[in-house]
């Protein structure tokens, strides 16, 4: 049986990260880093990590909220984001709307909005550096030959960005934003599988730029697009879970990793 544990390791800024790690019971030559959605290390993310270990990969899901894990719990984030998403989409960048929201929140809730909404760019840059440090930790500690990464929603965008900075052999992006600089696609060394929901305008508006960059820089690239699905359709137990699409996407993911990671 694969071994499950929570591990701790230092990252470059001196902080300590916690990660959910599942070690396969067979010798492993490849590892996959799992990047969580905005809600953190949920049961869905743990299950993805378990499945990957079941395929023979050393699977590790870093908690990118480790520095403030007592505040950034799944429940706290879900409640704050529920209230933020209740703001009409066209007003979510409106400082007055955000100020009104902040005035109704507790200090803990305000800190979550500060990190995930107001200072989102700074937060995500720190998270990308943590992913790069996790890559280096796994490579140096376990001496694996090949490295993959998979990310969902926010984690998909983070995984995409991190792949422009360290040479993953394979990356699977579930409805994630493009790298900040689309021309950084040229820096990606591994094969890309990009998975999209059809009813996801905020993410899908970036697809034309991505395709242009793929045609320009010619990475190994595959894409799957699921009609009639919504952002986060693969999250089991989520409000828009689509079983048929999720199972098909996972089968594609497994075949992709087997092809490029062994």
């Amino acid at each position: 049986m694969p071994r499950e544990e929570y591990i701790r390791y230092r990252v470059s800024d001196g902080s300590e990260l916690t990660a959910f790690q599942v070690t396969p019971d067979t010798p492993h030559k490849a590892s996959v880093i799992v990047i969580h959605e905005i809600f953190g290390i949920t049961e869905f993310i743990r299950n993805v990590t378990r499945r990957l270990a079941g395929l023979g990969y050393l699977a590790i899901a870093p908690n990118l909220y480790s520095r403030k894990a007592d505040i950034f719990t799944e429940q706290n984030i879900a409640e704050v984001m529920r209230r933020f998403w209740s703001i009409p989409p066209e007003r979510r960048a409106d400082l007055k709307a955000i100020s009104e929201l902040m005035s109704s929140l507790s200090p803990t809730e305000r800190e979550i909005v500060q990190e995930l909404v107001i200072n989102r760019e700074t937060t995500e840059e720190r998270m990308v550096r943590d992913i790069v440090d996790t890559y280096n930790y796994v490579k140096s500690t376990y001496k694996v030959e090949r490295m993959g990464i998979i990310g969902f929603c926010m984690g998909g965008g983070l995984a995409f960005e991190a792949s422009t900075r360290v040479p993953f052999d394979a990356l699977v992006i579930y409805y994630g934003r493009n790298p900040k600089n689309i021309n950084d696609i040229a820096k990606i060394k591994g094969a890309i599988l990009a998975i999209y929901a059809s009813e996801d305008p905020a993410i899908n508006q970036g697809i034309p730029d991505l395709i242009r960059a793929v045609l320009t820089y010619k990475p190994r690239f595959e894409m799957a697009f699921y009609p009639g699905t919504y952002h986060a359709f693969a999250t089991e137990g989520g409000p828009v879970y689509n079983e048929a699409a999720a199972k098909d996407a996972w089968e594609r993911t497994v075949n992709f990793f087997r092809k490029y990671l062994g």
Side-chain angles (χ1 to χ4, degrees):
M1 287 289 291
R3 186 177 77 253
E4 298 182 9
E5 59 188 325
Y6 283 91
I7 64 168
R8 296 177 180 275
Y9 53 97
R10 292 280 174 191
V11 291
S12 54
D13 70 356
S15 301
E16 188 175 66
L17 291 195
T18 301
F20 178 69
Q21 179 173 289
V22 188
T23 305
D25 50 13
T26 54
H28 44 276
K29 294 184 178 181
S31 177
V32 179
I33 297 174
V34 182
I35 308 302
H36 59 69
E37 303 158 297
I38 200 168
F39 304 109
I41 305 293
T42 61
E43 187 63 12
F44 167 64
I45 293 298
R46 285 189 287 269
N47 282 338
V48 169
T49 310
R50 291 173 181 128
R51 285 182 211 146
L52 290 166
L55 297 172
Y57 304 124
L58 173 68
I60 177 170
N63 183 355
L64 301 177
Y65 299 127
S66 291
R67 294 167 182 81
K68 298 178 180 178
D70 56 330
I71 292 174
F72 285 78
T73 65
E74 179 182 352
Q75 294 74 20
N76 286 349
I77 295 168
E79 175 59 22
V80 170
M81 297 315 295
R82 180 188 66 79
R83 295 171 71 176
F84 176 70
W85 288 329
S86 71
I87 300 173
E90 66 275 10
R91 294 195 65 216
R92 289 176 190 165
D94 182 345
L95 293 179
K96 183 179 179 183
I98 294 174
S99 178
E100 289 171 359
L101 172 67
M102 291 287 271
S103 67
S104 70
L105 301 178
S106 70
T108 293
E109 291 170 333
R110 283 198 292 271
E111 187 161 356
I112 292 172
V113 172
Q114 196 75 37
E115 290 256 340
L116 295 181
V117 178
I118 298 172
N119 294 330
R120 180 70 172 257
E121 192 170 331
T122 300
T123 298
E124 290 196 348
E125 175 57 29
R126 185 189 69 235
M127 290 176 165
V128 170
R129 290 197 301 269
D130 285 347
I131 295 168
V132 169
D133 289 338
T134 299
Y135 172 95
N136 291 328
Y137 164 78
V138 173
K139 286 285 280 187
S140 62
T141 303
Y142 300 103
K143 312 298 183 187
V144 292
E145 296 174 8
R146 293 174 294 279
M147 291 282 294
I149 189 168
I150 183 171
F152 299 85
C153 303
M154 177 188 79
L158 296 172
F160 223 164
E161 183 70 29
S163 298
T164 70
R165 306 190 191 188
V166 283
F168 284 99
D169 297 286
L171 49 148
V172 179
I173 309 300
Y174 276 73
Y175 26 77
R177 294 188 185 279
N178 294 341
K180 294 284 191 295
N181 180 349
I182 195 64
N183 292 317
D184 283 345
I185 293 292
K187 300 177 182 178
I188 294 178
K189 305 301 182 187
I192 305 164
L193 171 59
I195 293 170
Y196 297 99
S198 67
E199 309 308 309
D200 192 4
I203 296 299
N204 293 351
Q205 65 182 352
I207 293 177
D209 286 341
L210 175 63
I211 296 301
R212 281 190 286 271
V214 166
L215 292 173
T216 299
Y217 300 112
K218 301 173 177 56
R220 288 168 292 175
F221 179 80
E222 299 176 26
M223 187 175 108
F225 190 83
Y226 290 91
T229 61
Y230 295 82
H231 188 78
F233 72 80
T235 302
E236 295 144 0
V240 298
Y241 176 63
N242 184 306
E243 183 177 10
K247 286 184 175 179
D248 187 85
W250 183 251
E251 184 178 348
R252 289 174 186 268
T253 297
V254 170
N255 292 336
F256 185 81
F257 278 145
R258 282 180 171 154
K259 180 177 181 179
Y260 291 106
L261 299 181

